[in-house]
Amino acid sequence: MEERCIGCTKCLMNCPVEAIRIKNGKAIIYDEKCIDCGECIRVCPYGAHVSKGNSLNETEGYKVKVLIPSVTLYPQFGQEINPEEINKALLSLGFDEVFDITFACDVKAEILKKEITKVEKPAISTLCPSIIRLIEKDFPSLNDHIVKMLTPIEISAALIREKYCKMGYKENEIGIFF
């Protein structure tokens, strides 16, 4: 949304890794420095920075469509609306299943107990890809401290693929969306 940028420097001043510069009156993001934290999106008063997303149309073409909602989705609705109601609403959008990622979080915790013994201490385990990119780009000496393992999203996707492949679906027929 470059046309919305007025060069106010708010994103530049708030970028934690100094990946933004103003050129010709517009904010330019340098991908080689950016860690995709989204701070520029949050602070831009003009909506000039937007996240890349997908539309529901991209779910078409799959024989089975599974949604993995973030664990942060449900608390946003307060205690008045229970997760089952939210899941019903998500299913009404055309998904065949809403997968509970908390199971994959439990699996990750068990794997982490074993994997953490294999890295230099202090060990760094994170679900945040921005933190991993920050370490890899700006603090490479800490790379040996990162516990390399799948995220709960990746674990969920693997479990979903395994389930539906056993039911006779081919991998390219299974749409998994986070």
Side-chain angles (χ1 to χ4, degrees):
M1 297 263 187
E2 186 179 319
E3 66 275 359
R4 290 187 182 174
C5 181
I6 65 160
C8 73
T9 72
K10 194 156 187 163
C11 59
L12 179 142
M13 300 303 288
N14 286 279
C15 179
V17 294
E18 301 177 348
I20 301 174
R21 296 289 178 266
I22 305 297
K23 292 210 173 170
N24 299 322
K26 303 284 183 187
I28 305 293
I29 299 174
Y30 290 91
D31 291 334
E32 65 275 2
K33 290 196 65 119
C34 180
I35 59 169
D36 295 322
C37 68
E39 188 64 11
C40 57
I41 296 168
R42 191 183 71 74
V43 301
C44 181
Y46 304 101
H49 298 283
V50 294
S51 64
K52 295 174 186 160
N54 303 75
S55 74
L56 279 176
N57 295 339
E58 293 182 43
T59 62
E60 295 175 20
Y62 293 99
K63 287 190 177 178
V64 65
K65 298 173 276 290
V66 181
L67 178 66
I68 307 170
S70 170
V71 292
T72 62
L73 173 69
Y74 301 100
Q76 294 180 49
F77 293 93
Q79 293 181 352
E80 312 79 58
I81 300 176
N82 66 44
E84 291 81 26
E85 291 177 74
I86 297 167
N87 287 348
K88 282 182 190 174
L90 294 170
L91 289 169
S92 75
L93 295 173
F95 293 99
D96 299 298
E97 179 182 349
V98 176
F99 187 86
D100 183 0
I101 195 170
T102 57
F103 174 73
C105 293
D106 293 341
V107 171
K108 179 182 170 80
E110 290 303 311
I111 295 169
L112 179 60
K113 288 178 189 174
K114 295 174 187 149
E115 294 300 315
I116 204 164
T117 63
K118 301 176 185 176
V119 300
E120 258 185 69
K121 304 302 183 272
I124 302 168
S125 174
T126 179
L127 301 178
C128 180
S130 293
I131 296 301
I132 296 299
R133 280 193 289 280
L134 174 66
I135 291 168
E136 291 171 346
K137 289 180 178 197
D138 292 350
F139 304 98
S141 64
L142 294 176
N143 281 341
D144 291 339
H145 296 266
I146 298 172
V147 180
K148 306 268 195 268
M149 58 183 300
L150 297 175
T151 66
I153 298 165
E154 294 166 320
I155 293 168
S156 297
L159 292 169
I160 293 164
R161 276 191 195 90
E162 180 182 11
K163 171 185 172 179
Y164 284 97
C165 284
K166 283 182 181 176
M167 294 170 65
Y169 291 94
K170 296 178 183 139
E171 281 199 29
N172 64 349
E173 296 174 325
I174 307 164
I176 302 171
F177 305 89
F178 178 69

